[in-house]
Amino acid sequence: MSVAASRSGAYRAARDRMTGAERIVLTTHVQPDGDGIGSEAALARFLRARGKSVTILNPHPTARRFRFLEPDPPIVAFEPAAAERALEEADLLVVLDISVPERLGRLEPLVERIGPDVVIIDHHTGPPRIAGVDVRDVEAAATAEIVYRLLVDWAADEITPEIATALYSAIAYDTGGFRYANTTGRTHEIAADLLRRGADTETANRWIFESLSLGRVRLTARVLSGFSLEADGRIAWARVSGSLLEETGASAEDVEGLVESLRAVEGVEVAILLKEVHDHASKVSLRSVPARDVQAFAAAFGGGGHRNASGIYMEEPLDDAVRRLVPAAVEWFGGGRDPKGG
């Protein structure tokens, strides 16, 4: 069976599952981003217009810059009892922008225990580890591209300006405003069609790319004044501790995208931002030029993502994560040896 035929079959199976369900829960990964939120918002609006009862239930709250995307009724704040009840009452769970259970965060044990029927819509590489109908396209710039094609094939005339805005926002976010290497001709064609359907690009771009909190500005200044260079300037890295967030008045969501500023430094091929999650856990964001594969490096530490944009969650304090990961990155991208370290 060809890839196109396999994809078409998955689209039909996903549409059939959603058509047959009356109560549907949508979710995405921990610390939901623009692609996850935008894809959820678009699909929720489409399904609600078709008479479905749809609940968006995420493991973490929506970041300030993405709240303009939330439909009415809005995304439900996570609370264990309410989340359990929503999943027990649902006919179907649609998981967007992930295909590994760990990224469900606090929802993972509930999904595993309750075991609802699942549809996965994702564009990341790697085998799916959530059982269900898997709608996957690793060549898509964003999960929202897949949702767009699903809705166009289903009922194109039902894509409203609000749905178009959510999909456009998700794609714009995951392509860095159509600047990243994942942007293709197909991406621009989809964006053009969404514009014709009434997408509010001015609002999308203002909130996603041009709305910075004072804490974010102060944090950016500190990070850019104190980052380090390795490997003759080819690797840039910085750390963000909890105390630094407190000093600058920044929140966890203000860290998002900072790694791109490191990647923008002339001569840098790989950028690494290590953030303290709590005393015994750290999150690592990796970005690279097209020739450098940070996904392979991330996979060696249990992470993943895309060739030029990946992440790692490390169950160790920030200082330990820095000591283990930075030298490993220098070794990996300098000589290609085993990066796992001691």
Side-chain angles (χ1 to χ4, degrees), residues 4-340:
S6 175
R7 232 175 249 160
S8 176
Y11 279 42
R12 283 196 302 272
R15 186 171 64 242
D16 289 346
R17 293 291 180 91
M18 286 186 268
T19 297
E22 292 300 322
R23 296 176 301 278
I24 302 172
V25 171
L26 310 182
T27 193
T28 186
H29 49 76
V30 295
Q31 304 296 338
D33 61 15
D35 190 20
I37 297 289
S39 296
E40 288 178 321
L43 188 56
R45 285 189 169 98
F46 181 89
L47 292 172
R48 284 170 180 167
R50 293 189 141 237
K52 307 297 183 182
S53 173
V54 180
T55 299
I56 304 178
L57 176 64
N58 290 338
H60 289 120
T62 303
R64 180 184 59 87
R65 66 198 286 211
F66 306 129
R67 285 180 199 150
F68 78 98
L69 291 168
E70 289 201 5
D72 184 23
I75 295 172
V76 176
F78 181 88
E79 191 278 320
E84 182 173 2
R85 185 165 56 252
L87 289 172
E88 286 177 341
E89 294 175 353
D91 302 314
L92 183 68
L93 172 67
V94 181
V95 179
L96 295 134
D97 205 34
I98 49 169
S99 54
V100 293
E102 296 87 347
R103 295 282 284 156
L104 288 169
R106 293 178 289 182
L107 283 171
E108 180 191 357
L110 294 178
V111 172
E112 183 177 349
R113 178 164 58 83
I114 297 171
D117 285 340
V118 178
V119 168
I120 306 104
I121 305 176
D122 189 25
H123 71 132
H124 293 93
T125 58
R129 292 197 288 110
I130 299 174
V133 175
D134 184 37
V135 184
R136 180 78 62 94
D137 183 359
V138 299
E139 296 177 356
T143 292
E145 278 196 12
I146 307 173
V147 175
Y148 164 85
R149 293 199 299 275
L150 178 67
L151 300 188
V152 165
D153 290 346
W154 193 341
D157 59 346
E158 295 179 24
I159 298 177
T160 64
E162 292 77 18
I163 292 172
T165 298
L167 292 173
Y168 176 91
S169 300
I171 294 169
Y173 171 81
D174 243 25
T175 59
F178 305 94
R179 295 180 296 114
Y180 298 163
N182 60 340
T183 307
T184 65
R186 181 175 63 177
T187 306
H188 284 292
E189 289 166 358
I190 291 173
D193 186 52
L194 293 171
L195 281 168
R196 288 189 290 268
R197 295 177 186 275
D200 184 351
T201 60
E202 190 278 329
T203 296
N205 289 319
R206 173 163 49 84
W207 275 107
I208 294 173
F209 300 114
E210 300 171 2
S211 180
L212 301 177
S213 69
L214 182 58
R216 169 60 180 262
V217 174
R218 289 172 172 160
L219 178 64
T220 301
R222 290 285 294 274
V223 169
L224 292 183
S225 65
F227 73 91
S228 300
L229 291 171
E230 309 285 348
D232 297 323
R234 296 190 302 277
I235 299 173
W237 68 274
R239 49 181 286 157
V240 175
S241 63
S243 60
L244 180 57
L245 291 180
E246 291 180 10
E247 291 169 18
T248 57
S251 64
E253 70 182 69
D254 288 320
V255 181
E256 186 179 342
L258 267 180
V259 68
E260 307 293 350
S261 299
L262 299 178
R263 166 60 195 88
V265 175
E266 185 176 3
V268 170
E269 298 176 358
V270 175
I272 306 169
L273 187 71
L274 302 100
K275 183 188 78 172
E276 183 177 36
V277 177
H278 52 72
D279 289 346
H280 301 289
S282 306
K283 181 181 177 182
V284 183
S285 296
L286 301 153
R287 299 293 185 273
S288 68
V289 298
R292 295 292 195 174
D293 184 357
V294 291
Q295 193 279 331
F297 177 77
F301 286 87
H306 304 285
R307 178 180 176 85
N308 303 124
S310 288
I312 308 167
Y313 185 85
M314 303 177 73
E315 290 283 356
E316 51 192 281
L318 182 61
D319 287 343
D320 293 348
V322 169
R323 281 193 292 266
R324 191 157 74 95
L325 189 132
V326 173
V330 173
E331 182 178 8
W332 177 277
F333 294 108
R337 292 186 291 275
D338 182 3
K340 293 185 181 179

